[in-house]
Amino acid sequence: MKRFLGYCVLTVLTLVVVSCSSNGSEPTRSTEKTLFVFMPWSSGAEKPYTHNLYTYFSTNIQDMETAIAGQHGLGRTRLLVYIAQSPTRAALIEIRYTGKACTRDTLKHYADYDAMTAAGIAGILGDVRTHAEADTYAMIIGCHGTGWLPRGLTGYYKTRAFGGTEARFQADLADLADGITRAAMPMQFIAFDDCYMAGIEVAYDLKDVTHYLIASTSEIMAAGLPYRTIWPYLCATTPNYEAIVNGFYSYYSHGTYPYGTLSVIDCQQTEAMAQLMRTFNARYTFDPTQENRLQKLDGMGQTIFFDMGSYISHLCDAADVSQFDAMVARLVPYHVHTPKIYTNLSQVNGGLSTVDINTFSGITISDPTTNTYVAGRKSLTAWWKATHTQSTTAAE
């Protein structure tokens, strides 16, 4: 069974009642880092709740606990999880290690709480700080994802915006950035357990609220991130980003469904890349007849997410391509991909279920897209505005 990486729902009742251990207490420790897993409601308001993949993410939580037990605790890191049980119910839970096994403690219940606004995100982060203040914060986000595409595109190719399947359960990246800013909790990293989030537009939107972005350029199989394998590197005070992507690659390349990509993006390099791209855009004009020669990294019938390196190689001359290559090596220090990626969009792309990867820079760009549904919206992104002349006018 397969799913988009964006699907992420856990059932609160099960998570609260079932625990790894029935006795013991959390040892006293100094908290250097709090790792916050944010799992908002990922379906719609009405039953049957489609795309509610509780069983997969329940397994993810169990895998985290297995890894925690395997390393005999969390060290100086604390783990808090916000999960939605339904469109109106959610909880904030802490996973602890007793010295023998894991326990799950409910810290707060939420009823009819709008978690997908800037204020809502800031409020949840404030609760995280109240219960687990630390020197450093990091965040894993599990839900549906379509990169930079704005909220409300619910019917588009049956893909997923950041959040649920309806606009009321979705958030734009600007809302996430604003919420983190309001909470005054800049992140060591944000890891998106979602589809299509390893894009330059996403990284640029989040450059002021996180140092690193861990994400996929494409879709991912139902298992999501292999937490049992990569957990020690995620929760460490200083993450081992290379080990994270290598662990992902090892898991998927040897699996039954050998498809997947994962990148680590240094968001502090996005401004320099924007300046370089502004120079390129003033110097060159992309020939739209070359679009079908670019490396496709999505399953859309009309491609939205292209490999950024492939695009630059068709836009610029050799000297500027070399300059870009040096820059993107700093922007994306680690990335992996299998020879093919999987897409669940065969019903809208002419029957395509896999895409060959011949060129891969670890980050996507949507500048060259002529997709009729989103082409007019790409000029509304902060990335576009930073890299094109201000005379560019967005389509209504």
Side-chain angles (χ1 to χ4, degrees), residues 1-9 42 51 53 56-57 60 142-146 156-161 165 192-196 216 218-225 252 297-300 342-349:
M1 183 175 182
K2 309 169 181 68
R3 68 161 173 89
F4 288 124
L5 182 52
Y7 300 161
C8 180
V9 176
S42 64
H51 307 305
L53 300 181
Y56 293 105
F57 278 83
N60 288 160
C143 56
H144 306 319
T146 51
Y156 184 65
Y157 282 160
K158 304 298 184 184
T159 57
R160 313 292 170 232
T165 59
F192 277 104
D193 207 348
D194 311 57
C195 294
Y196 298 129
S216 173
S218 310
E219 299 167 39
I220 195 169
M221 310 307 295
L225 294 178
Y252 277 103
L297 289 174
D298 65 31
M300 315 294 182
Y342 173 80
T343 175
N344 196 38
L345 300 177
S346 59
Q347 71 276 17
V348 298
N349 63 25

Side-chain angles (χ1 to χ4, degrees), residues 23-65:
N23 52 54
S25 60
E26 178 71 5
T28 302
R29 61 178 184 249
S30 172
T31 302
E32 291 187 359
K33 175 176 172 177
T34 291
L35 181 50
F36 173 51
V37 181
F38 181 47
M39 298 176 173
W41 183 240
S42 64
S43 187
E46 303 297 331
K47 294 181 179 180
Y49 298 134
T50 57
H51 307 305
N52 182 348
L53 300 181
Y54 155 72
T55 55
Y56 293 105
F57 278 83
S58 178
T59 299
N60 288 160
I61 294 297
Q62 293 169 13
D63 286 346
M64 291 179 192
E65 292 173 330

Side-chain angles (χ1 to χ4, degrees), residues 20 60-70 95 102-104:
C20 315
N60 288 160
I61 294 297
Q62 293 169 13
D63 286 346
M64 291 179 192
E65 292 173 330
T66 298
I68 291 166
I95 297 176
C102 296
T103 60
R104 302 168 181 176

